[in-house]
Amino acid sequence: MLVIGLTGGIATGKSTVSSLLKASHIPIVDADVIARQVVEPGTSGLAKIKATFGNEVILPDGTLDRKKLGSIIFNDEVKRKKLNKIVHPAVRKAMLWQMLGYWIRGYKYCIMDVPLLIEGGLWQWVGLVVVVYCSDELQLQRLMQRDGSSREEASARLNSQLPISQKVPYADIVIDNSGTKQELETQVVSLIRRLEDRAGWSWRLSWLLPPLGLFSAFWTLLWKRVIRRGKVTQRPPR
């Protein structure tokens, strides 16, 4: 099964692309959805967060106070790393199980929708990387419009993240969301066509013969890591 990593930046349109793919019945593993699930009441993730950050991050109904937790980690790198050590392993484990579920059901490919695909290093473990891009200024304007924030507030949020221009070098496919929604939809249709062609017929053989599939996946990932590292080295971050 071909695994595609989908990523972008805040307000670049990644979620819109993910929704369009889902509407076309493409299997999606959504890291944001899973991240919420692994800290629901009764989970070990929420228990670890409570033990680390205290009862102040738990609401009266037993759910996580995301706003309070966000305010704690926003300007504290040490505490942010502590939170990531709790959440990220749980998210990755759940994503893997969901992906295996799609493989068992015979899907030829699936999309891993991961906002921090590049930052978290998961780009090294997918067959293709798709980055949803728009210019920095357009991204800023969209964020201001979406959240009703000032230019300074929106700029602060963007500056706290890896710039979208630094994610593009990791991409096998770039979706340029600088135009209209219709233009974006056309690019998504083109993407699906490319994925169908890329998956080809060999996925059936890999599904019927799991050892062959594992060998093929290992070889593909190893080769991709070499190629992508070369691309990133040749195009240093701006």
Side-chain angles (χ1 to χ4, degrees), residues 24-45:
S24 297
H25 308 292
I26 308 300
I28 306 286
V29 178
D30 191 324
D32 279 343
V33 172
I34 292 175
R36 291 192 290 271
Q37 293 173 342
V38 299
V39 293
E40 288 178 348
T43 62
S44 61

Side-chain angles (χ1 to χ4, degrees), residues 176-237:
D176 187 351
N177 186 27
S178 300
T180 65
K181 186 175 181 180
Q182 184 177 7
E183 290 171 334
L184 180 62
E185 291 171 349
T186 299
Q187 290 186 72
V188 171
V189 170
S190 177
L191 171 63
I192 295 172
R193 190 178 302 117
R194 291 180 68 175
L195 297 182
E196 290 286 342
D197 291 342
R198 183 64 179 266
W201 58 268
S202 60
W203 70 275
R204 292 186 182 275
L205 191 59
S206 299
W207 184 65
L208 292 171
L209 299 172
L212 177 63
L214 289 173
F215 175 78
S216 176
F218 174 77
W219 178 253
T220 299
L221 290 175
L222 182 62
W223 178 247
K224 281 290 185 181
R225 287 184 71 174
V226 173
I227 295 298
R228 287 177 185 148
R229 285 188 183 279
K231 285 170 61 179
V232 174
T233 302
Q234 292 170 14
R235 185 175 177 181

Side-chain angles (χ1 to χ4, degrees), residues 2 51 84-85 146 150 164 168 174 184 194 228:
L2 177 63
N84 289 341
K85 284 184 179 180
R146 189 192 74 181
S150 67
I164 188 64
V168 170
V174 176
L184 180 62
R194 291 180 68 175
R228 287 177 185 148

Side-chain angles (χ1 to χ4, degrees), residues 128-142:
L128 287 174
V129 172
V130 178
V131 173
V132 182
Y133 166 87
C134 70
S135 68
D136 293 342
E137 180 60 27
L138 184 56
Q139 184 182 16
L140 177 62
Q141 293 297 329
R142 286 175 175 172

